[in-house]
Amino acid sequence: DRPNLSDQITGGILTFGDGSSVTFGTLVNDGSATYVNLTSAVTTSSLLLTVTSVSSSTSSAGLAELQVFGWGA
């Protein structure tokens, strides 16, 4: 999430290049990491983050950073 206390993403969807997706809930509100763990491996060349809900105090939803962790086959 953004590193301020007024803007907060409370729900979203990560969609991968093959069309599969995973939903997630509220992100930590201070800009620190929120982990979204997948139940199976995904190989993709694209990733789309769709924000589906925000807190009532949000005026500008966004992310400070997005990191992807994984391992090679």
Side-chain angles (χ1 to χ4, degrees):
D1 203 41
R2 295 181 64 195
N4 66 54
L5 298 179
S6 59
D7 297 324
Q8 185 179 25
I9 295 172
T10 58
I13 305 168
L14 292 173
T15 305
F16 304 98
D18 67 358
S20 64
S21 63
V22 61
T23 59
F24 61 88
T26 302
L27 301 183
V28 179
N29 198 28
D30 64 2
S32 61
T34 299
Y35 293 92
V36 178
N37 295 312
L38 305 179
T39 57
S40 61
V42 174
T43 300
T44 190
S45 60
S46 65
L47 176 68
L48 172 67
L49 180 136
T50 304
V51 176
T52 58
S53 59
V54 297
S55 68
S56 60
S57 62
T58 298
S59 63
S60 182
L63 294 178
E65 185 174 340
L66 176 71
Q67 293 183 352
V68 177
F69 298 96
W71 57 92

